[in-house]
C-alpha cells in the first residue's frame, strides 16, 4: 500500500523523477526505485510519435531514470548486503550510457556508484563507451571550442 501511495497522483515522468530524487535524498532508496520505474511508464517531455500513446521520455528523463536507478540499486545492495542488486545497478548504468550519457567524470566521482567502480564489469563498460586516445583529445578540444552551450526549450 505504501508504494501505491507513492505512485498514485503522479502527473508525468518529471514529477516521478523529482519525487524519486527526494526519496533517495531522504534515504528511501526502495521507494525511489518505484518512482523511477514508474517514470518510464508516464508521459515524458519528449516527442509524441503516436496520438494514442503518451509523449516519450526526453533524453534527460531517460538518462536521469537509468542513472538514478543505478544509484538506488547500489545503495540497496549496500543496505541489504545483496550482490545481485549490484548486477541490477550495472544494468541500469549500461542503459544510461547506451542512451547517450557522457559525463564520465560524474561516474568517476559519484560516491553512490563506488561499488560499481570496484567491479571488473565496470572497467569493461567504460572501455566500451568512454572515448580514449586521440578520440578523447579531439572531443575535449571540441568541447573547449564550443564551451558551455545552453539550449533553451
Amino acid at each position: 500500500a505504501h508504494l501505491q501511495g507513492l505512485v498514485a497522483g503522479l502527473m508525468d515522468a518529471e514529477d516521478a523523477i523529482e519525487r524519486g530524487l527526494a526519496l533517495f535524498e531522504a534515504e528511501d532508496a526502495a521507494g525511489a526505485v518505484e518512482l523511477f520505474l514508474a517514470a518510464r511508464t508516464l508521459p515524458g517531455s519528449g516527442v509524441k510519435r503516436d496520438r494514442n500513446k503518451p509523449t516519450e521520455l526526453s533524453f534527460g528523463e531517460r538518462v536521469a531514470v537509468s542513472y538514478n536507478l543505478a544509484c538506488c540499486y547500489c545503495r540497496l545492495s549496500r543496505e541489504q548486503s545483496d550482490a545481485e542488486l549490484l548486477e541490477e545497478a550495472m544494468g541500469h548504468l549500461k542503459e544510461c550510457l547506451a542512451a547517450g550519457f557522457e559525463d564520465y567524470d560524474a561516474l568517476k566521482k559519484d560516491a553512490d556508484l563506488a561499488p560499481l567502480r570496484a567491479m571488473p564489469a565496470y572497467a569493461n563498460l567504460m572501455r566500451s563507451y568512454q572515448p580514449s586516445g586521440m578520440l578523447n583529445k579531439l572531443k575535449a578540444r571540441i568541447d573547449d571550442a564550443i564551451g558551455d552551450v545552453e539550449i533553451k526549450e
Side-chain angles (χ1 to χ4, degrees):
H2 169 68
L3 295 178
Q4 287 175 333
L6 289 176
V7 176
L10 289 174
M11 301 297 291
D12 54 24
E14 183 180 3
D15 187 24
I17 292 166
E18 287 177 10
R19 291 188 197 187
L21 288 169
L23 283 183
F24 186 76
E25 291 298 318
E27 304 294 324
D28 183 0
V33 163
E34 293 305 314
L35 287 167
F36 293 133
L37 291 174
R40 291 181 164 174
T41 66
L42 294 166
S45 61
V47 177
K48 183 153 182 83
R49 297 186 193 277
D50 182 339
R51 68 176 164 211
N52 297 321
K53 294 181 181 175
T55 307
E56 294 178 5
L57 299 186
S58 68
F59 166 77
E61 290 164 341
R62 286 193 315 272
V63 165
V65 166
S66 297
Y67 186 95
N68 288 301
L69 280 168
C71 291
C72 287
Y73 281 110
C74 282
R75 186 175 290 177
L76 288 171
S77 173
R78 189 180 65 243
E79 290 172 358
Q80 300 172 17
S81 299
D82 185 345
E84 285 185 22
L85 292 172
L86 275 185
E87 293 298 328
E88 184 76 19
M90 188 67 75
H92 290 292
L93 182 59
K94 187 173 183 177
E95 283 176 9
C96 181
L97 291 166
F101 183 80
E102 293 183 331
D103 189 351
Y104 302 106
D105 287 337
L107 296 179
K108 291 175 188 168
K109 295 174 185 171
D110 192 324
D112 292 309
L113 298 176
L116 292 183
R117 290 193 293 271
M119 297 172 67
Y122 176 85
N124 294 336
L125 190 62
M126 289 300 102
R127 273 195 295 279
S128 298
Y129 285 96
Q130 188 171 7
S132 59
M134 287 303 293
L135 185 59
N136 203 24
K137 290 177 185 170
L138 178 61
K139 184 181 181 324
R141 289 187 70 180
I142 291 170
D143 288 348
D144 288 345
I146 294 173
D148 293 330
V149 177
E150 189 172 319
I151 299 170
K152 301 285 185 198
E153 300 262 339

